[in-house]
Amino acid sequence: MLERTFGMIKPDAVANGYVGDILNVIRDSGFRIAGMKMRRVTRPEAEAFYAVHKARPFYPSLVAFMSEGPVVVLVLEGENAIAKWRDAMGATNPANAAEGTIRKKFAESIERNAVHGSDAPETAAQEIPFFFTTAELL
């Protein structure tokens, strides 16, 4: 099934110069990039984007991390794009990520884990318009 998912290259991976390497993984995984831009996430945007985690103890540090530097936001399209992108990213904790995944190669820790991706069609439907207008998607 052809679908779209939201992806983000997080501030740690941007700061460490991994954007090109991660885009190569995206290309090699067969995704079509329907939207892409580099931008800073403001503190209020980070609070809203991660509001689902507001009650969790890591929420304040997550918000601070996500607003500390530029990110690359993406809309990826392909067959079973949500599951395929999550497979390419690897486990949230890079120590548990499979060899060859983005997080195994580029993540620093469970929080500074290089990339984000929608976990379900409903999440993608919320996350994509958070950063992209319909007119920005090709």
Side-chain angles (χ1 to χ4, degrees):
M1 173 175 74
L2 188 67
E3 56 185 9
R4 284 183 170 174
T5 191
F6 176 76
M8 181 189 301
I9 303 174
K10 293 182 177 181
D12 57 322
V14 173
N16 289 325
Y18 298 141
V19 172
D21 295 311
I22 293 169
L23 290 174
N24 285 339
V25 171
I26 290 167
R27 179 199 61 217
D28 295 346
S29 297
F31 289 103
R32 185 180 85 76
I33 297 175
M36 178 171 72
K37 54 187 166 182
M38 180 180 271
R39 66 184 308 274
R40 273 191 172 269
V41 176
T42 65
R43 179 171 278 280
E45 285 173 330
E47 289 169 350
F49 189 77
Y50 288 105
V52 67
H53 298 304
K54 193 168 189 162
R56 296 213 156 130
F58 61 81
Y59 178 75
S61 63
L62 176 61
V63 167
F65 163 56
M66 292 306 299
S67 56
E68 78 181 23
V71 300
V72 175
V73 291
L74 303 142
V75 176
L76 306 176
E77 186 177 85
E79 290 294 319
N80 300 309
I82 294 168
K84 193 166 144 184
W85 177 233
R86 294 194 67 77
D87 286 346
M89 290 190 308
T92 303
N93 183 345
N96 300 333
E99 287 300 324
T101 61
I102 293 168
R103 289 181 172 146
K104 189 66 163 186
K105 290 181 191 175
F106 305 117
E108 299 173 18
S109 67
I110 194 166
E111 186 175 88
R112 301 177 78 79
N113 62 9
V115 287
H116 167 90
S118 303
D119 60 2
E122 300 77 22
T123 312
Q126 291 178 326
E127 291 178 342
I128 290 169
F130 193 94
F131 289 103
F132 292 92
T133 66
T134 303
E136 293 175 306
L137 301 177
L138 307 173

